[in-house]
Amino acid sequence: MSESDIQSPLLSSDTQSPDHIITIHDASASLDPGSPEQLYSPHLHRDGANSSSHPGFDNPFGFLGSGDFCVPGSTTVNPFKNHTERIQGVYEWVKIVICLPIALLRLVLFATCLSVGYVATKLALSGWKDRHNPMPKWRSRVMLITRFCSRFILFSFGYHWIKRKGRPAPREVAPILVSNHVSYIDPIFYFYELFPTIVASESHDSMPFVGTIIRAMQVIYVNRFSPSSRKHAVNEIKRKGGCDRFPRVLLFPEGTTTNGRAIISFQLGAFIPGYPIQPVVVRYPHVHFDQSWGLISLGKLMFRMFTQFHNFMEVEYLPVVYPQENHKEHAIRFAEKVFEFIDLENNGYIVFKQFLCASAHVMKLPLFRQACELAFTECDTCRSNSMSLQDFRELTRPAIPDMTDEEMSELFNLFDADDDGKVSKDDFILCLRKNPLLISIFSPCLIPNKDILERL
């Protein structure tokens, strides 16, 4: 399958029969209660004027006349579901039988490396009382033994090689890393690769072996249910991130492991200090065995890993994100408003079906086409039937004032389909039809002209 890009339509033009058919009904269509056509559950319903699931919710698409927004009652994506909980197929059973002797050797290697690493870590921590300041260099050098052992632990789990794309930015450039969290393998890899300071739950401190090792990483403990603990964690992220003598800080902003097929809402601790951040994406490509730690026991997951010929892992280091000093929280508030509009169940994550139905709902609104045309007209001040980057910047700044020039150029290029440095009316409307939720960024210029919008 070819790689997707942000300009590609959500659905391909494959002529084969689709696996799923989602029907979107007009808000004006009348259906008898209990009729077969009534596919939507009341709790998966968004009313622009009345939203009980989000108190004080301000509909970002209300200026288009958005009222009812519905999603089929069943969800197609569970972000925590492991998709191969059971051993299925003759191939998998035969492979497990063949790999059992290998699994025993791997288990011995795992236990040996864990023991050696644990002893080295205890030596590095022995007598060290000043945990408020960075670990002395000689102790960090002792930790190289544990890091070396962690690579053999990855090897024992079947990660004989790990594919990398990009490279980590220098610590002085990006003091904070954020990554998705799919498996317990993620922190082992980062420990070996970068030896960062991590943010972890207080409960991790009491875990055998693991608690000792993460203490050597100068961990920042947090109790997510305690406001004072969360505030302390943010202060520690800011303190350690701002001091080059500390290792870089690694955070998993989702706060838990998922199956890697969906994104759940982020904790904002990594973004509040305002330091440059490097995002990292971890993937576990597979056919027969899903390596994600979702709704599956640790023992069963380890056994499946030990009985695979090879497990695949890919790590991609993305470009560094540089936040501006002013209006840093404005983009967060804007993103949260759109997120809440789609997150009907108020459960903190969005599945693809919700995103797809929200996009279809917005595009079917009676004023959507007129809004696209009016937004373009507001920007095309010279009446040249095209807009420049500067025109585009002035149009979108009121909605997201803290967007950097680089980010603005990337957004402009999304609309500039033919890459000629300007956006025609056809390009503009075509992009909004592919990405209808983007119409919300033009709301500051459309809301004052709602009367004009309704007359178009």
Side-chain angles (χ1 to χ4, degrees):
M1 182 173 64
S2 61
E3 293 185 0
S4 60
D5 61 86
I6 198 169
Q7 293 183 344
S8 301
L10 289 173
L11 301 177
S12 66
S13 58
D14 192 351
T15 58
Q16 296 181 354
S17 299
D19 293 329
H20 303 283
I21 299 176
I22 300 176
T23 304
I24 306 297
H25 291 286
D26 288 319
S28 59
S30 60
L31 296 175
D32 294 330
S35 64
E37 291 81 10
Q38 185 66 41
L39 341 148
Y40 306 127
S41 302
H43 69 286
L44 291 181
H45 174 275
R46 164 79 66 235
D47 186 332
N50 270 314
S51 179
S52 59
S53 61
H54 295 285
F57 172 75
D58 183 15
N59 189 340
F61 303 97
F63 67 96
L64 295 177
S66 172
D68 295 343
F69 159 43
C70 306
V71 174
S74 63
T75 179
T76 57
V77 175
N78 181 343
F80 308 109
K81 177 178 175 58
N82 182 290
H83 289 267
T84 55
E85 288 184 86
R86 300 178 179 179
I87 302 172
Q88 297 178 340
V90 175
Y91 172 78
E92 273 297 288
W93 281 107
V94 171
K95 180 170 58 176
I96 288 174
V97 171
I98 294 175
C99 288
L100 279 177
I102 301 175
L104 294 176
L105 294 175
R106 288 176 170 175
L107 182 60
V108 171
L109 176 62
F110 166 75
T112 302
C113 292
L114 184 62
S115 300
V116 172
Y118 176 75
V119 171
T121 303
K122 292 288 286 186
L123 177 62
L125 293 176
S126 178
W128 184 38
K129 303 297 183 182
D130 186 13
R131 303 295 174 87
H132 186 74
N133 291 315
M135 177 180 280
K137 289 185 178 180
W138 75 265
R139 296 182 185 272
S140 296
R141 293 191 182 100
V142 175
M143 287 302 299
L144 287 173
I145 299 174
T146 309
R147 294 175 65 183
F148 188 70
C149 289
S150 67
R151 182 61 187 94
F152 279 96
I153 289 176
L154 292 173
F155 188 91
S156 70
F157 281 115
Y159 299 96
H160 308 127
W161 64 85
I162 298 172
K163 183 178 179 181
R164 296 171 177 81
K165 183 177 180 180
R167 60 182 59 187
R171 197 260 180 234
E172 59 272 15
V173 173
I176 296 178
L177 293 175
V178 294
S179 171
N180 62 323
H181 196 8
V182 180
S183 171
Y184 63 86
I185 294 296
D186 311 340
I188 298 176
F189 168 80
Y190 286 122
F191 175 80
Y192 161 70
E193 179 98 331
L194 302 171
F195 191 50
T197 292
I198 63 172
V199 178
S201 171
E202 293 176 345
S203 61
H204 286 69
D205 187 70
S206 59
M207 296 176 64
F209 295 99
V210 175
T212 300
I213 293 174
I214 65 174
R215 282 197 294 274
M217 299 173 71
Q218 302 170 81
V219 62
I220 300 172
Y221 288 116
V222 61
N223 180 350
R224 69 182 67 181
F225 302 107
S226 168
S228 60
S229 178
R230 294 198 303 267
K231 183 177 180 180
H232 172 73
V234 171
N235 291 335
E236 282 294 283
I237 292 171
K238 187 173 183 178
R239 183 178 76 89
K240 293 185 176 182
C243 178
D244 288 340
R245 293 186 300 134
F246 280 103
R248 70 190 82 207
V249 180
L250 168 68
L251 296 103
F252 300 105
E254 293 172 292
T256 187
T257 54
T258 68
N259 58 19
R261 300 188 178 206
I263 297 176
I264 63 176
S265 59
F266 281 11
Q267 305 295 324
L268 301 180
F271 313 100
I272 293 175
Y275 295 136
I277 294 173
Q278 183 173 32
V280 189
V281 179
V282 179
R283 305 182 186 93
Y284 295 89
H286 66 276
V287 175
H288 301 283
F289 169 50
D290 181 2
Q291 300 150 61
S292 64
W293 194 4
L295 303 182
I296 184 173
S297 67
L298 176 61
K300 187 173 183 179
L301 190 61
M302 291 177 65
F303 174 78
R304 295 292 303 277
M305 286 184 176
F306 282 141
T307 54
Q308 300 293 310
F309 292 127
H310 175 75
N311 288 309
F312 292 90
M313 180 179 183
E314 297 177 357
V315 180
E316 181 176 1
Y317 294 94
L318 300 176
V320 177
V321 177
Y322 298 90
Q324 289 187 340
E325 290 301 320
N326 298 322
H327 311 292
K328 289 174 183 173
E329 294 185 2
H330 189 96
I332 295 175
R333 292 196 300 270
F334 185 84
E336 288 177 344
K337 182 185 294 188
V338 177
F339 188 95
E340 289 176 357
F341 176 78
I342 306 176
D343 182 18
L344 297 177
E345 296 178 287
N346 195 21
N347 52 17
Y349 63 85
I350 294 172
V351 299
F352 178 72
K353 183 187 287 187
Q354 290 174 324
F355 175 80
L356 180 62
C357 290
S359 300
H361 164 76
V362 171
M363 190 165 62
K364 287 175 66 66
L365 291 173
L367 298 180
F368 178 78
R369 181 183 58 82
Q370 295 92 321
C372 295
E373 295 181 353
L374 180 59
F376 183 84
T377 301
E378 288 292 313
C379 189
D380 185 18
T381 55
C382 298
R383 300 297 182 265
S384 60
N385 200 35
S386 65
M387 68 173 71
S388 64
L389 176 59
Q390 182 61 31
D391 295 331
F392 186 82
R393 180 181 290 110
E394 293 177 359
L395 186 67
T396 55
R397 282 292 188 197
I400 315 179
D402 58 334
M403 187 175 289
T404 66
D405 291 339
E406 181 181 0
E407 292 168 340
M408 186 66 69
S409 297
E410 291 178 358
L411 183 59
F412 179 82
N413 292 335
L414 177 63
F415 284 84
D416 184 14
D418 53 6
D419 200 25
D420 61 355
K422 57 185 179 180
V423 176
S424 67
K425 183 177 181 179
D426 291 339
D427 290 341
F428 186 81
I429 294 177
L430 177 61
C431 181
L432 287 177
R433 286 183 63 84
K434 287 183 177 180
N435 309 276
L437 296 178
L438 288 180
I439 191 65
S440 60
I441 67 176
F442 304 109
S443 58
C445 75
L446 294 173
I447 292 176
N449 297 314
K450 188 174 181 181
D451 294 337
I452 301 175
L453 180 63
E454 292 175 344
R455 291 198 301 268
L456 287 175

